[in-house]
Amino acid sequence: MAARRDFTRESLAAGVRAGDRRALARAITLVENSEPLAYDVVRDLYPETGNAYAIGITGPPGVGKSSLISALVRHVRGQQRSVGVVSVDPSSPFSQGALLGDRIRLADHFLDPEVFIRSMGSRGHLGGLAEATLQALLVLDAAGKELVFLETVGTGQGEVEVIGIADTVVLVLMPGSGDSIQALKAGIMEIPDVIAINKSDHPAAKTMLNEVRSVLSLDTGRGWKPPIVLTEAVRGEHVPELWEKVEEHRAFLEQSGQLEERRRANLAREVFAVAASRASRHLQQAVADDDELRRLLAEVQARELDPLTAVREILEKVFRINDGDGDRTRAS
Ligand SMILES: Nc1nc2c(ncn2[C@@H]2O[C@H](COP(=O)(O)OP(=O)(O)OP(=O)(O)O)[C@@H](O)[C@H]2O)c(=O)[nH]1
Ligand SMILES: [Mg+2]
């Protein structure tokens, strides 16, 4: 094994394959910092991935996502399954903030060699958080983790990218998170696969349950009806039931052939999203660096040139695209 901080492409890939914690930590740090070595290692490992089952845990701030993951990890460790946890905090410029809270929540598992826990903030992700999350998942997958939990705060659209790579998405709500109910109802938030109403010790838990049920009754025509589980993460109440629902969803996907389909769609979307975000960054940089392109923008702002003519000229110069379709620039 290589000396400390002395990983080569080969030794790092080998270390990850062997599930070596130090190699895993190093590989994910490299991924976080968009280092070329991470790119090489993930590239080497990619053919060996596809075995881990990824569970996305999303929901508004403070509903108990980390507490639930901690309880779920305890539960699945009872079944001897190896686990990875990636906790993503898009709002945190540094991962330390997220880490502190999660350290407390997930502290029970830090000494367990079969559990690898990592927090990621938005710091330094040239390629975006979704890209880093996908890479981290692939690293944990190649390391032989059977289950990988992905935690991210979500109240609407932003988290979709991060959670979009999960096989099963669990939305965690708590009594009083009415905004999420509205978001679900309005279709801003996609209907998840499983819903946990956590902090069920709260007196308004039943009301919340009824509200969620009524929203879900509007969602027809899917083969899978999202089950709702009332949980109390800190005491581990109904955590086995929640896990059972995740397993049922997995069985449903596998038996109906939808798991493969979903993974294919997720990967395609991920590749497209990353490519689009890079193209968008490239475009911004190119315009910022080019006097002529900046002048085009100024002319639009001065109402001397119409916007679509500027779009056409910019696209032609930056990407050599000349189909004249202005809408295509709205990469998001
Ligand atoms: N009463 C009660 N409190 C809970 C329960 N689950 C979690 N909490 C508490 O809620 C607070 C937030 O829990 P976290 O697990 O950090 O929630 P989170 O959703 O991960 O929070 P962020 O990652 O910051 O969005 C903590 O103080 C927990 O102890 C529960 O079932 N009942
Ligand atoms: Mg958390």
Side-chain angles (χ1 to χ4, degrees):
M1 187 64 5
R4 193 169 170 13
R5 292 189 191 288
D6 203 16
F7 284 111
T8 61
R9 177 173 178 170
E10 289 73 25
S11 67
L12 189 53
V16 168
R17 275 191 196 99
D20 174 62
R21 292 179 82 85
R22 209 163 42 82
L24 269 176
R26 184 85 183 114
I28 296 180
T29 299
L30 292 170
V31 157
E32 265 205 293
N33 298 331
S34 305
E35 303 254 357
L37 182 55
Y39 172 86
D40 288 336
V41 167
V42 171
R43 190 171 151 187
D44 292 347
L45 296 171
Y46 189 65
E48 296 150 52
T49 61
N51 303 309
Y53 196 82
I55 303 109
I57 307 282
T58 188
V63 292
K65 298 178 294 297
S66 300
S67 307
L68 262 184
I69 289 175
S70 183
L72 286 167
V73 169
R74 190 170 306 120
H75 181 70
V76 299
R77 285 299 297 135
Q79 307 168 349
Q80 313 303 320
R81 303 171 81 182
S82 60
V83 183
V85 179
V86 180
S87 190
V88 184
D89 187 354
S91 61
S92 153
F94 302 100
S95 49
Q96 277 78 6
L99 197 61
L100 195 66
D102 293 335
R103 268 207 187 290
I104 300 162
R105 239 74 76 199
L106 295 160
D108 297 359
H109 306 294
F110 276 115
L111 294 176
D112 184 339
E114 295 299 323
V115 180
F116 188 88
I117 297 167
R118 182 60 177 254
S119 291
M120 299 205 294
S122 55
R123 167 192 55 138
H125 295 300
L126 287 173
L129 210 44
E131 186 178 332
T133 310
L134 174 62
Q135 306 278 98
L137 169 62
L138 293 173
V139 166
L140 290 167
D141 188 340
K145 299 298 177 206
E146 297 169 70
L147 303 168
V148 178
F149 292 92
L150 302 171
E151 174 186 346
T152 187
V153 175
T155 41
Q157 300 132 321
E159 79 286 2
V160 168
E161 273 187 282
V162 171
I163 218 75
I165 52 179
D167 298 312
T168 294
V169 175
V170 179
L171 172 66
V172 185
L173 300 171
M174 63 180 229
S177 40
D179 290 356
S180 313
I181 297 284
Q182 291 312 318
L184 280 171
K185 213 182 252 174
I188 297 165
M189 192 186 268
E190 243 182 274
I191 302 285
D193 304 306
V194 177
I195 296 181
I197 299 176
N198 191 43
K199 308 200 186 183
S200 58
D201 45 316
H202 191 283
K206 281 270 150 43
T207 312
M208 189 69 185
L209 175 65
N210 290 332
E211 284 181 64
V212 174
R213 273 203 185 124
S214 83
V215 173
L216 292 187
S217 67
L218 304 171
D219 178 50
T220 53
R222 283 211 303 173
W224 173 258
K225 268 186 83 60
I228 311 167
V229 186
L230 287 167
T231 58
E232 204 186 320
V234 279
R235 297 202 304 146
E237 293 282 330
H238 296 119
V239 169
E241 287 86 341
L242 177 59
W243 182 248
E244 214 170 278
K245 296 302 173 195
V246 171
E247 292 279 34
E248 280 172 22
H249 181 248
R250 178 181 188 163
F252 165 80
L253 289 179
E254 285 173 349
Q255 281 153 22
S256 61
Q258 287 180 55
L259 182 60
E260 266 318 297
E261 212 176 284
R262 184 170 174 144
R263 286 183 167 179
R264 290 171 68 92
N266 286 352
L267 286 168
R269 194 185 48 238
E270 207 65 27
V271 167
F272 195 82
V274 171
S277 98
R278 289 197 178 185
S280 168
R281 248 186 301 125
H282 178 77
L283 181 63
Q284 281 174 16
Q285 198 56 50
V287 173
D289 290 346
D290 188 311
D291 287 343
E292 196 191 318
L293 296 181
R294 279 210 314 275
R295 197 164 49 242
L296 284 174
L297 279 184
E299 283 174 23
V300 173
Q301 288 159 344
R303 299 190 183 269
E304 291 160 7
L305 182 70
D306 70 284
L308 287 190
T309 302
V311 164
R312 183 180 290 174
E313 292 193 24
I314 289 170
L315 286 186
E316 213 170 300
K317 186 149 189 203
V318 178
F319 294 118
R320 298 200 183 85
I321 296 172
N322 55 21
D323 61 5
D325 183 349
D327 291 331
R328 297 270 160 80
T329 55
R330 295 192 128 263
S332 57

